[in-house]
Amino acid sequence: MKECGPISHIVKFRDIPEKLLDVGEELFFAKNKVVFSQGDVPDRFYYIKDGRIKSYKYSPRGNEQIISLLEKGSIFLESGILFDIPIDSYFETMEDSHLIFVRKKDLLDLLATDIDVTLYIMQSVSHKFHFYEYLFDELQFFDTEWRICNLLLTFADNFGIEVENKIKLNIKISQQFISNILGVNRGTTIKIINKLKELNLIEQTNGYYLIKDLQRLKNHQAEMCVHKA
């Protein structure tokens, strides 16, 4: 049986080397601005100084499929500029964001002279490779209810704040957003969300989800693995 470990759609990295920031240039992008489009070959990579970026593509039916959320401190497009690879997804701001971009020539110069920069880029590329492995595992081994629980628990780890003995997910997510990030039918998402509400595990107030009992939600997710086995 596949281990029922956590799978996260949120990408984070260790601190970026200062030398990369020194050669970078800062840009501001307003909310809902496409920073990079699918099919283009990048000549720079970006570091998120503050803000949030979503990576997504469209299905053959035209439905948005969110691949990952990139938080403050993340980088993207680094593998594309190293190997001149067309990018297979869009990158769009989810909120006002300040980004620092580093040109390909500057990156290559630092890769040839600075081991910290080299290790940082290697770690990032490796991390994303394993990230896609985890997503494949999620699709192959776990059903939609497990995946929705996993998403809520991931958001609790990254955006959760304690409010009256509950965990509030301090990020507004709609049922359509959940469907887009998991690649499932919205009707299925609604059915499972309602089930979790009926089990008194979650509630929703003013567009924010609250986990009423974090341990009970974890136990509910774990029980699904037992039943599957």
Side-chain angles (χ1 to χ4, degrees), residues 56-82:
Y56 65 96
K57 59 179 65 177
Y58 290 102
S59 72
R61 294 184 176 181
N63 298 320
E64 181 180 288
Q65 170 69 64
I66 298 174
I67 307 301
S68 62
L69 305 183
L70 296 151
E71 294 295 300
K72 176 181 177 180
S74 301
I75 63 173
F76 58 98
L77 304 182
E78 72 283 2
S79 61
I81 67 171
L82 285 174

Side-chain angles (χ1 to χ4, degrees), residues 143-168:
D143 63 19
T144 302
E145 185 172 350
W146 187 97
R147 295 173 64 210
I148 287 177
C149 290
N150 187 70
L151 187 67
L152 293 172
L153 291 169
T154 298
F155 283 172
D157 286 340
N158 290 274
F159 310 117
I161 57 174
E162 189 169 346
V163 178
E164 297 179 351
N165 296 319
K166 304 172 186 177
I167 302 298
K168 176 183 177 181

Side-chain angles (χ1 to χ4, degrees), residues 138-202:
E138 182 183 283
L139 287 169
Q140 184 176 13
F141 295 109
F142 304 115
D143 63 19
T144 302
E145 185 172 350
W146 187 97
R147 295 173 64 210
I148 287 177
C149 290
N150 187 70
L151 187 67
L152 293 172
L153 291 169
T154 298
F155 283 172
D157 286 340
N158 290 274
F159 310 117
I161 57 174
E162 189 169 346
V163 178
E164 297 179 351
N165 296 319
K166 304 172 186 177
I167 302 298
K168 176 183 177 181
L169 308 185
N170 200 27
I171 175 175
K172 281 194 174 183
I173 53 174
S174 65
Q175 292 169 342
Q176 186 62 60
F177 179 88
I178 293 172
S179 300
N180 289 350
I181 202 169
L182 295 181
V184 298
N185 180 275
R186 185 170 180 268
T188 301
T189 298
I190 292 172
K191 180 179 178 181
I192 293 171
I193 289 294
N194 287 338
K195 176 182 177 180
L196 296 177
K197 289 179 178 178
E198 290 170 3
L199 291 172
N200 208 29
L201 294 171
I202 65 171

